Amino acid sequence: MKQLDLFLAFFRVGILGYGGGPSSIPLVHKEVVEKYKWMNDDEFADVLALGNTLPGPIATKMAGYIGYRVAGFTGMVNAVMATIVPTILLMIILLTSISSFKDLPWVAGMTKAVVPVVGVMLATLTWDFFKKSNETLGKVNAGLMVVGGLILMEVLNIHPAILILVLLILAIAKKDKTPKVENKIERGVG
């Protein structure tokens, strides 16, 4: 049953993730966190952050990892195939037939109409992540990180992967310091 669920979840992501990898992320979240509950929001955010630091399309990386986590190697193959095969088949069908329809107004309008929907999906996911970061970092720190990240990416043109990698390194460094502090406190008390 897990294999069928994996296939259906990532098939929906692959077939409805119109507009590229970022538009697939809210769909993956919906399937993996909300519907099947294979991971929670924090785990999903970790997978998303790590996936963004690696090269390649985010949807297939997430499918591979989540499929492996849920059902091992066959789950990984199943989830990746469910993500990419439908779009490959659609590309073959559309590219062989679209040339005769591409000038029709409804075809051009279809592409334009999907963009705002993808924008709302991404904004909703962003708001969910921001609320979650408020809980863990506090409003001031979360707000500073949002503004800082926005300035670094949009004004200074720093690649998001570099920003994520630096934040991961800082988080690891901070985590390494935490047990030492606790040990000092325990020794001082005892």
Side-chain angles (χ1 to χ4, degrees), residues 67-107:
Y68 182 79
R69 183 177 156 156
V70 171
F73 181 77
T74 54
M76 176 189 72
V77 172
N78 184 12
V80 170
M81 288 296 145
T83 303
I84 62 173
V85 169
T87 54
I88 291 171
L89 294 175
L90 277 176
M91 271 193 75
I92 292 169
I93 293 168
L94 288 174
L95 287 176
T96 55
S97 61
I98 197 82
S99 60
S100 59
F101 299 112
K102 69 179 180 184
D103 294 329
L104 292 176
W106 68 270
V107 174

Side-chain angles (χ1 to χ4, degrees), residues 139-155:
K139 286 183 180 180
V140 174
N141 288 336
L144 287 173
M145 290 188 77
V146 168
V147 172
L150 195 62
I151 290 170
L152 289 171
M153 288 189 297
E154 295 299 320
V155 176

Side-chain angles (χ1 to χ4, degrees), residues 45-55 58 61 164 168:
D46 290 344
V47 171
L48 179 61
L50 286 172
N52 274 322
T53 62
L54 301 172
I58 188 69
K61 287 183 286 188
I164 291 169
L168 287 174

Side-chain angles (χ1 to χ4, degrees), residues 160-174:
I162 294 171
L163 187 60
I164 291 169
L165 186 63
V166 168
L167 288 173
L168 287 174
I169 290 169
L170 290 174
I172 290 169
K174 184 180 177 187

Side-chain angles (χ1 to χ4, degrees), residues 14 16-17 30 32 37-38 42 52-53 67 80 85 90 104 111-112 129 136 140 143 153-154 160 166 173 181 185 188:
L16 298 174
K30 185 85 175 170
V32 170
K37 302 187 185 322
W38 290 321
D42 291 337
N52 274 322
T53 62
V80 170
V85 169
L90 277 176
L104 292 176
T111 303
K112 291 177 184 173
F129 281 146
T136 55
V140 174
M153 288 189 297
E154 295 299 320
V166 168
V181 172
I185 292 170

